[in-house]
Amino acid sequence: MRVLITGGAGFVGSHVADLLVGRGHDVVLLDNLLPQAHGSGQVPEWTRELVRGDVRDAEVLSRVLRGVDVVCHQAAVVGHGVDPSDAPEYASHNDFGTAVLLAAMHRAAVRRLVLASSMVVYGEGRYECAEHGVVRPAARRQADIDAGRFEPGCPRCSSPLVSRLVPEDAPFDPRSTYAATKAAQEYLASAWARQTGGQVWALRYHNIYGPRMPRDTPYAGVASLFRSCLERGEAPTVLEDGAQRRDFVHVTDVAVANALAVQTAAEPGALVPVNVCSGTPHTVGDMATELSRACAGPPPRVIGGARPTDVRHIVADPSAARALLGFTARVPFSVGVREFATAPLRLPVA
């Protein structure tokens, strides 16, 4: 098949490109090399033949979509960002860009899309109260966070909650600008599928780490931030108490999930969401500690506090990806972190 990968020079996109080419597909890469992820503005050395252009440019899209069977849409501004002043840029690249892409796909009669979505659409994870069952937790109060009380309570009785795996039918509750734009991407793609009979896999990535991550940028993931600290000889800084649970999934596993989605037909006229995760949760403190050991660096500093958009626990149910795509993550956490300690990262972002 001929596959267009938007964001094809990026962290995930470049690994997807490598895997698809290795499986015999004809791959077209589109990337505008945003400075948030590509500090130098130069094409990374691991990038295959690239069309440098913007996903918001309908003329460029009309050229690169010729003969394409499937679009793998990775292009996006990611991460927490700096502050709400980032909102126009997030909405422009992520949502307007997706709308322009979907319109171009309609004109080119391309009816299959693999969308890079995110677990951030869920907000807080899934929680259960001993008395009231599955509940949406009460918002965490700043006074509690300042006092070191990080666990959310039941909104009805304030009792402690137990964190559970999040299934794909969990309600949306985006807590950041980035999260809101990822939810909007899914809504746009779902509407497009209904209108055109198109097929959409929405891959809800959990915490991805691995080679080629961008470094030294507020848009990077927590594993990259820890690695950057260790390279400077500094201890990784861990917010809260380090016990917040996440699902860290290696980028090569994420590439496999994309390849399976490219090769597997989805339900026509619908968006089908799947969690892309390891299925084995770890804490943020686990990541900092394991990476410090692997880098022979100082142990993490746990400093308390939290960012306004942080959630306490978000861990995924992997069963839908296994049932629908045949996807099961293969890279164990310990192996992946050891490799990540010396893996190549992107150049620092100025």
Side-chain angles (χ1 to χ4, degrees):
M1 286 189 290
R2 187 169 175 83
V3 184
L4 170 63
I5 305 177
T6 70
F11 172 38
V12 175
S14 64
H15 283 279
V16 175
D18 289 347
L19 186 58
L20 290 178
V21 168
R23 293 188 176 190
H25 297 287
D26 181 15
V27 172
V28 181
L29 306 184
L30 176 68
D31 204 302
N32 66 351
L33 302 179
L34 281 177
Q36 294 95 321
H38 307 273
S40 66
Q42 302 301 310
V43 178
E45 65 272 17
W46 49 71
T47 303
R48 299 175 181 276
E49 185 175 349
L50 175 73
V51 176
R52 186 164 184 173
D54 198 308
V55 74
R56 298 168 296 181
D57 188 330
E59 184 177 342
V60 169
L61 289 173
S62 69
R63 296 199 305 270
V64 298
L65 282 168
R66 291 172 188 160
V68 164
D69 300 297
V70 185
V71 174
C72 192
H73 184 30
Q74 307 293 325
V77 178
V78 303
H80 276 278
V82 178
D83 58 43
S85 64
D86 281 333
E89 186 168 25
Y90 273 99
S92 177
H93 286 282
N94 297 2
D95 298 335
F96 179 65
T98 297
V100 174
L101 173 64
L102 293 170
M105 289 175 64
H106 173 61
R107 289 191 293 270
V110 180
R111 294 291 181 261
R112 293 188 58 198
L113 174 68
V114 178
L115 173 66
S117 187
S118 173
M119 54 87 171
V120 296
V121 299
Y122 299 125
E124 278 285 359
R126 186 180 180 89
Y127 292 86
E128 187 172 356
C129 172
E131 182 177 353
H132 298 108
V134 174
V135 296
R136 299 184 72 177
R140 296 197 294 174
R141 300 182 305 168
Q142 189 62 49
D144 288 333
I145 290 172
D146 292 343
R149 297 186 293 269
F150 302 115
E151 297 291 342
C154 176
R156 298 173 64 181
C157 66
S158 300
S159 296
L161 300 175
V162 177
S163 172
R164 301 296 190 195
L165 300 181
V166 181
E168 285 80 1
D169 62 359
F172 281 10
D173 186 20
R175 303 293 182 92
S176 67
T177 301
Y178 171 59
T181 63
K182 298 312 283 186
Q185 281 185 314
E186 287 204 25
Y187 286 130
L188 287 166
S190 179
W192 171 86
R194 289 176 181 272
Q195 292 167 336
T196 65
Q199 303 174 34
V200 182
W201 291 107
L203 305 184
R204 293 178 182 166
Y205 301 157
H206 285 251
N207 289 70
I208 310 174
Y209 71 101
R212 307 177 189 173
M213 287 188 84
R215 51 169 292 183
D216 299 332
T217 165
Y219 301 90
V222 66
S224 177
L225 298 177
F226 291 162
R227 164 82 184 270
S228 295
C229 284
L230 289 161
E231 286 188 344
R232 295 192 299 267
E234 302 170 3
T237 300
V238 179
L239 297 179
E240 301 185 28
D241 57 359
Q244 53 272 46
R245 296 169 72 231
R246 299 290 188 268
D247 191 309
F248 294 99
V249 58
H250 198 270
V251 67
T252 56
D253 281 327
V254 175
V256 170
N258 275 273
L260 290 168
V262 164
Q263 296 163 182
T264 305
E267 180 183 351
L271 177 145
V272 182
V274 290
N275 290 322
V276 176
C277 59
S278 72
T280 307
H282 289 86
T283 68
V284 173
D286 289 340
M287 170 58 80
T289 299
E290 289 295 318
L291 193 54
S292 291
R293 288 173 182 160
C295 293
R301 286 191 311 122
V302 179
I303 63 171
R307 293 173 294 191
T309 57
D310 283 348
V311 299
R312 181 59 175 171
H313 305 297
I314 174 73
V315 293
D317 184 343
S319 58
R322 184 168 55 247
L324 299 176
L325 292 175
F327 170 73
T328 301
R330 300 296 185 190
V331 180
F333 180 74
S334 58
V335 174
V337 173
R338 281 199 304 272
E339 181 221 33
F340 180 59
T342 57
L345 301 184
R346 294 179 183 274
L347 294 174
V349 174

XYZ file of all heavy atoms in Angstrom, residues 7-86:
587
model
N 3.791 14.330 9.782
C 4.715 14.293 10.911
C 5.711 13.159 10.759
O 6.194 12.593 11.746
N 6.068 12.838 9.508
C 6.866 11.655 9.234
C 8.317 11.742 9.668
O 8.997 10.716 9.718
N 8.797 12.955 9.990
C 10.158 13.090 10.513
C 10.174 13.124 12.034
O 11.237 13.241 12.630
C 10.806 14.368 9.967
N 9.009 13.020 12.658
C 8.898 13.178 14.097
C 9.230 11.916 14.871
O 9.616 10.882 14.313
N 9.052 12.016 16.168
C 9.389 10.941 17.097
C 8.684 9.643 16.721
O 9.313 8.624 16.410
C 9.028 11.401 18.511
C 9.140 10.361 19.584
C 10.158 9.433 19.583
C 8.225 10.342 20.628
C 10.269 8.482 20.597
C 8.314 9.406 21.639
C 9.328 8.466 21.622
N 7.374 9.659 16.722
C 6.612 8.453 16.385
C 6.604 8.222 14.883
O 6.807 7.095 14.404
C 5.177 8.547 16.927
C 4.344 7.357 16.466
C 5.178 8.614 18.451
N 6.372 9.280 14.111
C 6.233 9.130 12.667
C 7.426 8.474 12.004
O 7.271 7.645 11.090
N 8.638 8.812 12.460
C 9.828 8.222 11.831
C 9.937 6.731 12.121
O 10.378 5.947 11.266
C 11.093 8.951 12.301
O 11.301 8.796 13.699
N 9.525 6.306 13.310
C 9.549 4.873 13.630
C 8.471 4.125 12.840
O 8.697 2.991 12.390
C 9.336 4.667 15.125
C 10.548 4.966 15.960
N 11.584 4.065 16.119
C 10.898 6.065 16.666
C 12.512 4.594 16.894
N 12.123 5.804 17.239
N 7.314 4.750 12.657
C 6.271 4.133 11.833
C 6.771 3.974 10.397
O 6.569 2.935 9.759
C 4.979 4.973 11.882
C 3.927 4.401 10.935
C 4.423 5.038 13.296
N 7.453 5.013 9.892
C 7.975 4.948 8.531
C 8.962 3.801 8.375
O 8.902 3.033 7.404
C 8.641 6.273 8.174
N 9.882 3.662 9.325
C 10.858 2.576 9.260
C 10.170 1.218 9.184
O 10.546 0.346 8.383
C 11.771 2.607 10.490
C 12.751 3.763 10.488
O 12.904 4.410 9.439
O 13.357 4.011 11.552
N 9.175 1.035 10.027
C 8.514 -0.270 10.096
C 7.709 -0.554 8.831
O 7.751 -1.669 8.290
C 7.611 -0.329 11.328
C 6.957 -1.682 11.616
C 7.999 -2.778 11.786
C 6.084 -1.592 12.871
N 6.968 0.448 8.336
C 6.155 0.232 7.138
C 7.021 -0.053 5.919
O 6.689 -0.918 5.103
C 5.258 1.447 6.884
C 4.111 1.648 7.874
C 3.341 2.921 7.535
C 3.153 0.453 7.872
N 8.127 0.661 5.773
C 9.038 0.388 4.662
C 9.581 -1.038 4.783
O 9.668 -1.775 3.794
C 10.179 1.417 4.627
C 11.276 0.983 3.662
C 9.642 2.785 4.226
N 9.928 -1.430 6.009
C 10.415 -2.788 6.224
C 9.395 -3.853 5.903
O 9.764 -4.998 5.581
N 8.122 -3.489 5.953
C 7.055 -4.433 5.614
C 6.617 -4.327 4.161
O 5.607 -4.920 3.770
C 5.861 -4.226 6.547
C 6.160 -4.588 7.994
C 4.920 -4.573 8.865
N 5.227 -5.015 10.229
C 4.304 -5.278 11.149
N 3.012 -5.158 10.864
N 4.662 -5.667 12.363
N 7.355 -3.537 3.373
C 7.105 -3.501 1.941
C 6.140 -2.445 1.461
O 5.751 -2.442 0.281
N 5.733 -1.522 2.315
C 4.814 -0.468 1.894
C 5.566 0.689 1.254
O 6.752 0.934 1.528
C 4.007 0.036 3.094
C 3.127 -1.000 3.710
N 1.971 -1.451 3.120
C 3.250 -1.712 4.875
C 1.408 -2.375 3.888
N 2.164 -2.549 4.955
N 4.858 1.423 0.399
C 5.382 2.629 -0.244
C 4.999 3.806 0.641
O 3.809 4.081 0.823
C 4.765 2.756 -1.636
C 5.260 3.963 -2.396
O 6.278 4.553 -1.985
O 4.606 4.335 -3.382
N 5.985 4.490 1.209
C 5.729 5.502 2.230
C 6.078 6.891 1.713
O 7.141 7.099 1.113
C 6.539 5.194 3.508
C 6.455 6.332 4.505
C 6.033 3.901 4.143
N 5.164 7.836 1.959
C 5.383 9.246 1.659
C 5.389 9.995 2.989
O 4.456 9.848 3.791
C 4.260 9.813 0.763
C 4.529 11.289 0.437
C 4.110 8.998 -0.503
N 6.427 10.799 3.237
C 6.534 11.541 4.487
C 6.263 13.020 4.246
O 6.799 13.610 3.308
C 7.934 11.387 5.100
C 8.457 9.979 5.322
C 9.806 10.038 6.029
C 7.469 9.147 6.124
N 5.446 13.603 5.126
C 5.187 15.039 5.109
C 5.483 15.594 6.492
O 5.002 15.060 7.497
C 3.723 15.323 4.747
C 3.288 16.793 4.783
C 3.967 17.587 3.672
C 1.766 16.908 4.666
N 6.289 16.649 6.579
C 6.613 17.253 7.874
C 7.069 18.686 7.627
O 7.790 18.955 6.658
C 7.731 16.458 8.568
C 7.727 16.640 10.083
O 7.841 17.796 10.536
O 7.618 15.630 10.797
N 6.654 19.608 8.499
C 7.143 20.986 8.374
C 8.222 21.320 9.398
O 8.647 22.464 9.522
C 5.985 21.993 8.476
C 5.332 22.032 9.829
O 5.612 21.193 10.688
N 4.451 22.996 10.037
N 8.681 20.298 10.158
C 9.814 20.437 11.084
C 9.606 21.580 12.074
O 10.415 22.497 12.182
C 11.120 20.630 10.295
C 11.474 19.514 9.304
C 12.761 19.833 8.581
C 11.563 18.168 9.993
N 8.508 21.481 12.828
C 8.215 22.500 13.842
C 9.371 22.631 14.833
O 9.927 21.627 15.280
C 6.956 22.115 14.625
C 5.604 22.375 13.982
C 4.501 21.860 14.884
C 5.409 23.851 13.693
N 9.728 23.858 15.221
C 10.858 24.042 16.129
C 10.642 23.442 17.517
O 11.603 23.140 18.208
C 11.014 25.566 16.200
C 9.702 26.122 15.746
C 9.168 25.141 14.755
N 9.384 23.257 17.934
C 9.147 22.648 19.249
C 9.686 21.229 19.329
O 10.009 20.738 20.413
C 7.634 22.630 19.572
C 7.028 24.000 19.750
C 6.404 24.492 18.469
O 6.936 24.289 17.390
N 5.264 25.158 18.585
N 9.758 20.555 18.191
C 10.249 19.178 18.173
C 11.570 19.035 17.440
O 12.316 18.084 17.683
C 9.210 18.265 17.527
N 11.857 19.951 16.539
C 13.065 19.880 15.717
C 13.844 21.174 15.933
O 13.708 22.130 15.168
C 12.711 19.723 14.236
C 11.779 18.589 13.944
N 12.215 17.301 13.715
C 10.432 18.532 13.861
C 11.174 16.513 13.484
N 10.086 17.236 13.575
N 14.639 21.196 16.981
C 15.259 22.443 17.398
C 16.084 23.124 16.328
O 16.065 24.345 16.194
N 16.798 22.347 15.529
C 17.678 22.943 14.534
C 16.942 23.350 13.270
O 17.465 24.114 12.460
C 18.772 21.941 14.150
O 18.204 20.826 13.484
N 15.724 22.829 13.097
C 15.010 23.065 11.852
C 15.531 22.236 10.691
O 15.039 22.353 9.572
N 16.528 21.378 10.953
C 17.089 20.535 9.912
C 16.410 19.160 9.917
O 15.866 18.728 10.925
C 18.598 20.368 10.122
C 19.372 21.676 10.138
C 19.211 22.455 8.851
O 19.384 21.905 7.765
N 18.873 23.730 8.968
N 16.472 18.502 8.786
C 15.900 17.167 8.680
C 16.747 16.203 9.506
O 17.957 16.108 9.303
C 15.861 16.706 7.214
C 15.307 15.285 7.112
C 15.030 17.663 6.377
N 16.160 15.478 10.472
C 16.944 14.525 11.274
C 17.588 13.461 10.402
O 17.047 13.074 9.359
C 15.903 13.918 12.221
C 14.782 14.904 12.251
C 14.756 15.539 10.902
N 18.743 12.957 10.852
C 19.524 12.042 10.025
C 18.806 10.728 9.763
O 19.111 10.026 8.799
C 20.887 11.770 10.687
C 20.833 11.043 12.026
C 20.690 11.981 13.216
O 20.318 13.145 13.002
O 20.940 11.521 14.344
N 17.853 10.368 10.610
C 17.168 9.081 10.427
C 15.949 9.186 9.506
O 15.234 8.215 9.302
C 16.727 8.525 11.776
C 15.994 9.525 12.625
C 14.739 10.025 12.429
C 16.499 10.175 13.785
N 14.417 10.927 13.393
C 15.483 11.044 14.252
C 17.694 10.098 14.489
C 15.645 11.835 15.380
C 17.846 10.887 15.611
C 16.836 11.740 16.050
N 15.701 10.367 8.939
C 14.493 10.589 8.149
C 14.673 10.114 6.712
O 15.692 10.367 6.076
C 14.126 12.078 8.144
O 13.968 12.516 9.485
C 12.819 12.317 7.395
N 13.664 9.453 6.208
C 13.650 9.020 4.817
C 13.262 10.202 3.916
O 13.102 11.319 4.389
C 12.664 7.862 4.660
C 13.060 6.654 5.499
C 12.038 5.553 5.454
N 12.479 4.444 6.299
C 13.306 3.491 5.909
N 13.768 3.495 4.663
N 13.666 2.531 6.724
N 13.098 9.940 2.629
C 12.757 11.010 1.688
C 11.525 11.761 2.177
O 10.504 11.162 2.520
C 12.516 10.424 0.301
C 12.285 11.481 -0.760
C 12.170 10.881 -2.147
O 12.475 9.690 -2.304
O 11.776 11.611 -3.058
N 11.629 13.083 2.203
C 10.642 13.902 2.899
C 10.123 15.022 2.011
O 10.897 15.682 1.309
C 11.290 14.510 4.152
C 10.464 15.504 4.982
C 9.376 14.759 5.740
C 11.372 16.260 5.937
N 8.812 15.237 2.054
C 8.221 16.455 1.517
C 8.085 17.427 2.684
O 7.379 17.138 3.651
C 6.835 16.188 0.887
C 6.197 17.500 0.429
C 6.951 15.215 -0.266
N 8.809 18.534 2.602
C 8.719 19.515 3.682
C 7.541 20.436 3.404
O 7.541 21.203 2.438
C 10.018 20.310 3.806
C 10.020 21.235 5.011
C 11.410 21.710 5.353
N 11.398 22.522 6.554
C 12.499 22.966 7.179
N 13.696 22.669 6.685
N 12.402 23.684 8.264
N 6.527 20.345 4.241
C 5.323 21.126 4.028
C 4.410 21.027 5.222
O 4.600 20.206 6.120
N 3.385 21.872 5.216
C 2.478 22.021 6.351
C 1.176 21.292 6.083
O 0.604 21.408 4.987
C 2.221 23.519 6.580
C 1.667 23.820 7.955
O 0.662 23.192 8.340
O 2.236 24.681 8.647
N 0.703 20.562 7.081
C -0.546 19.820 6.921
C -1.736 20.765 6.756
O -2.819 20.354 6.322
C -0.749 18.864 8.121
C -1.165 19.624 9.377
C -1.747 17.773 7.796
N -1.552 22.031 7.048
C -2.611 23.028 6.850
C -2.632 23.592 5.436
O -3.476 24.432 5.120
C -2.437 24.169 7.861
C -2.544 23.733 9.309
C -2.073 24.816 10.273
N -0.644 25.097 10.099
C 0.034 25.986 10.810
N -0.591 26.683 11.741
N 1.328 26.172 10.595
N -1.728 23.139 4.586
C -1.595 23.645 3.213
C -2.308 22.691 2.264
O -1.796 21.620 1.933
C -0.110 23.756 2.863
C 0.145 24.451 1.538
O -0.712 24.355 0.641
O 1.220 25.076 1.396
N -3.489 23.085 1.797
C -4.297 22.203 0.953
C -3.606 21.885 -0.367
O -3.763 20.781 -0.910
C -5.659 22.851 0.692
N -2.823 22.825 -0.887
C -2.145 22.586 -2.159
C -1.086 21.496 -2.008
O -0.965 20.604 -2.857
C -1.501 23.878 -2.655
C -0.856 23.746 -4.028
C -0.286 25.061 -4.535
O -0.672 26.116 -4.000
O 0.544 25.017 -5.464
N -0.315 21.556 -0.930
C 0.676 20.512 -0.674
C -0.009 19.163 -0.500
O 0.419 18.138 -1.047
C 1.515 20.856 0.565
C 2.367 19.663 0.994
C 2.405 22.057 0.291
N -1.104 19.148 0.247
C -1.816 17.889 0.486
C -2.341 17.288 -0.808
O -2.323 16.055 -0.984
C -2.963 18.115 1.471
C -2.565 18.393 2.918
C -3.795 18.766 3.738
C -1.868 17.193 3.538
N -2.822 18.126 -1.710
C -3.359 17.598 -2.968
C -2.277 16.857 -3.752
O -2.574 15.874 -4.456
C -3.949 18.727 -3.814
O -2.935 19.580 -4.309
N -1.017 17.288 -3.613
C 0.084 16.608 -4.307
C 0.456 15.300 -3.613
O 0.598 14.261 -4.260
C 1.308 17.521 -4.394
C 1.109 18.778 -5.210
C 2.451 19.365 -5.639
N 3.349 19.605 -4.533
C 3.414 20.738 -3.853
N 2.600 21.730 -4.150
N 4.283 20.887 -2.860
N 0.637 15.357 -2.279
C 1.149 14.170 -1.590
C 0.095 13.080 -1.432
O 0.451 11.922 -1.168
C 1.739 14.538 -0.210
C 2.922 15.474 -0.369
C 0.694 15.140 0.716
N -1.171 13.399 -1.618
C -2.231 12.396 -1.482
C -2.462 11.588 -2.753
O -3.237 10.618 -2.737
C -3.543 13.056 -1.058
C -3.666 13.420 0.422
C -4.868 14.326 0.663
C -3.775 12.175 1.291
N -1.812 11.937 -3.843
C -2.036 11.225 -5.097
C -1.610 9.763 -4.964
O -0.477 9.456 -4.608
C -1.255 11.884 -6.233
C -1.799 13.251 -6.622
C -0.886 13.951 -7.598
N -1.328 15.339 -7.809
C -0.554 16.310 -8.279
N 0.713 16.039 -8.606
N -1.018 17.539 -8.439
N -2.548 8.871 -5.233
C -2.259 7.450 -5.188
C -2.176 6.852 -3.800
O -1.846 5.668 -3.655
N -2.483 7.634 -2.768
C -2.374 7.152 -1.387
C -3.576 6.284 -1.023
O -4.718 6.595 -1.372
C -2.247 8.355 -0.417
C -2.534 7.940 1.019
C -0.851 8.963 -0.524
N -3.309 5.195 -0.309
C -4.374 4.304 0.164
C -4.783 4.604 1.601
O -5.965 4.479 1.949
C -3.901 2.846 0.086
C -3.540 2.433 -1.327
O -4.435 2.432 -2.183
O -2.355 2.138 -1.569
N -3.823 4.957 2.433
C -4.070 5.183 3.863
C -3.250 6.393 4.312
O -2.088 6.536 3.913
C -3.656 3.964 4.727
C -4.040 4.182 6.194
C -4.257 2.684 4.193
N -3.843 7.216 5.168
C -3.111 8.310 5.804
C -2.876 7.955 7.266
O -3.811 7.582 7.986
C -3.875 9.646 5.707
C -3.162 10.741 6.515
C -4.014 10.071 4.256
N -1.636 8.074 7.693
C -1.251 7.869 9.099
C -0.915 9.264 9.648
O 0.164 9.805 9.378
C -0.055 6.933 9.144
S 0.339 6.312 10.779
N -1.829 9.840 10.398
C -1.760 11.264 10.778
C -1.108 11.417 12.147
O -1.749 11.299 13.186
C -3.166 11.849 10.779
C -3.240 13.313 11.060
N -2.240 14.201 10.726
C -4.224 14.060 11.647
C -2.588 15.424 11.092
N -3.774 15.363 11.657
N 0.207 11.689 12.120
C 0.985 11.869 13.346
C 1.277 13.339 13.639
O 1.671 13.675 14.769
C 2.321 11.130 13.233
C 2.217 9.676 12.857
C 1.564 8.830 13.920
O 1.737 9.078 15.119
N 0.797 7.839 13.511
N 1.133 14.220 12.665
C 1.535 15.615 12.825
C 0.696 16.309 13.893
O -0.533 16.282 13.837
C 1.390 16.354 11.497
N 1.375 16.918 14.865
C 0.672 17.638 15.934
C 1.682 18.373 16.794
O 2.850 17.985 16.879
C -0.138 16.680 16.810
N 1.207 19.438 17.430
C 1.932 20.031 18.550
C 1.512 19.244 19.785
O 0.320 19.073 20.042
C 1.594 21.523 18.712
C 2.328 22.109 19.919
C 1.962 22.289 17.456
N 2.478 18.747 20.571
C 2.172 17.830 21.666
C 2.622 18.410 23.004
O 3.297 19.433 23.069
C 2.834 16.453 21.436
C 2.395 15.865 20.110
C 4.357 16.573 21.467
N 2.268 17.706 24.082
C 2.774 18.033 25.409
C 1.984 19.100 26.140
O 1.007 19.652 25.644
N 2.445 19.401 27.361
C 1.768 20.384 28.195
C 1.894 21.790 27.637
O 1.048 22.638 27.877
C 2.369 20.374 29.614
C 1.777 19.324 30.505
N 0.586 19.496 31.163
C 2.203 18.082 30.828
C 0.306 18.428 31.874
N 1.273 17.544 31.691
N 2.970 22.071 26.919
C 3.201 23.428 26.466
C 3.696 24.314 27.587
O 4.148 23.854 28.635
N 3.616 25.614 27.368
C 4.118 26.584 28.331
C 2.997 27.116 29.206
O 3.030 27.049 30.430
C 4.841 27.735 27.601
C 5.319 28.788 28.606
C 6.021 27.195 26.808
N 1.953 27.648 28.588
C 0.811 28.207 29.317
C -0.332 28.390 28.319
O -0.186 28.058 27.133
C 1.192 29.522 30.017
C 1.702 30.589 29.061
O 1.092 30.749 27.976
O 2.693 31.266 29.386
N -1.498 28.920 28.739
C -2.634 29.027 27.816
C -2.388 29.881 26.573
O -3.167 29.812 25.621
C -3.727 29.646 28.694
C -3.412 29.165 30.063
C -1.908 29.195 30.139
N -1.317 30.668 26.558
C -1.026 31.439 25.354
C -0.648 30.533 24.180
O -0.623 30.977 23.029
C 0.098 32.449 25.613
O 1.309 31.781 25.923
N -0.362 29.255 24.449
C -0.089 28.287 23.383
C -1.358 27.873 22.630
O -1.266 27.239 21.582
C 0.516 27.003 23.960
C 1.998 27.131 24.278
O 2.668 27.945 23.625
O 2.472 26.412 25.175
